[in-house]
Amino acid sequence: MASQDPLRPVRGSPRQVLAALRGWLERPDGPLVVRTSGSSGRPRDVVLSYEAVTASARAAMDRLGGPGQWLLDLPVNHVAGLQVLVRSLLAGRDPVVAAGPGSFGATVAALDGQRCYTALVPTQLHRLAADGALDQLRRFDAVLVGGAALRPDLLARCEDTGIAVVATYGLSETCGGCVYGGVPLDGVSVRVDPAGRVELSGPVLFDGYAGDRELTAQVLRDGWLRTSDLGHLERGRLEVLGRIDDVVVSGGVNVALPAVTRVLLDLPGVEDAVAVGVDDPEWGARVVACMVCTASAPTPALDVVRDSVARSLPRTWAPRAVVRLDTLPLLPGGKLDRLALSALAAADA
């Protein structure tokens, strides 16, 4: 593969990647490669075939109600932004590209399609809400939100504002979101193994990890992808509970960190929060509450945090330290940088 190939791995400006994709969709010359964000480990090169990429894009358009004009405000080197470009090209329209921070409103105004879509991560949605700019999203027939858990209160606020938010779940290994609103896209199947691990199958699956046959064999088995996520199915609808490594053992007790996080987010004055586990010689793992608070709000006291958690969860799940941050560390694509957050928690707790 040529070192300057913008599709192996995918890299470059939106214009460069769009031009390369246009040629690839007309005459595919092999799979493309997407490098994962490495939010919880080293990045991996995910090999995606023409058939998988286009199956994903077409299934998404079918679910949303048909082709449309897309607004791009995500990095194109990751699969969510890449798929915005693919869906745009399959719809026969170039995307409208946001110029950078603060340009979203002007970019929305430039849309002229009869049907319009965009894809965001929860952090972007949160910032639009904080700026009082959620109304801009009513222009879209659907706003895909994925890459991280969407806070229920933020989802409710969007719905109250009349925004058609679609919470998506997927991975680079599934060409992006393959479950919309808990329901798999057409052709995609979901199951949960006895340990609660989410498994996926269908035409959207990747071919494997470039140069890593051993890891590929570990996660791809008999046409099913074994994810690192926990979930459960209720009448065919998937609820993702968190990553497998979001459950830590503290003092011999399994602690589900996403459940603790949900309690932290409801504390007065807390804008954002994540519960993490850090190594501890006594407890094995110590739960730490990392919180971003409004400027005028004091940091919640540890005993207040522990009592709040204990009202709805086992007291053994309650954090043993509180760390106040100005902001949660994020990767370029908007995902939480779990490694950086764990390091901050371990250093400051």
Side-chain angles (χ1 to χ4, degrees), residues 6-7 10-23 72 74-77 81 85 89 94-98:
L7 298 182
V10 175
R11 56 186 171 182
S13 69
R15 179 178 297 181
Q16 291 169 328
V17 176
L18 186 68
L21 275 176
R22 195 188 308 276
L72 174 68
L74 291 171
V76 295
N77 59 307
L85 300 186
L89 290 171
D94 286 358
V96 177
V97 181

Side-chain angles (χ1 to χ4, degrees), residues 172-211:
S172 299
E173 292 88 340
T174 60
C175 296
C178 62
V179 178
Y180 283 20
V183 180
L185 295 178
D186 291 347
V188 174
S189 296
V190 179
R191 68 186 185 189
V192 176
D193 74 9
R197 183 193 294 262
V198 177
E199 298 184 344
L200 303 163
S201 72
V204 301
L205 291 190
F206 75 137
D207 288 348
Y209 297 110

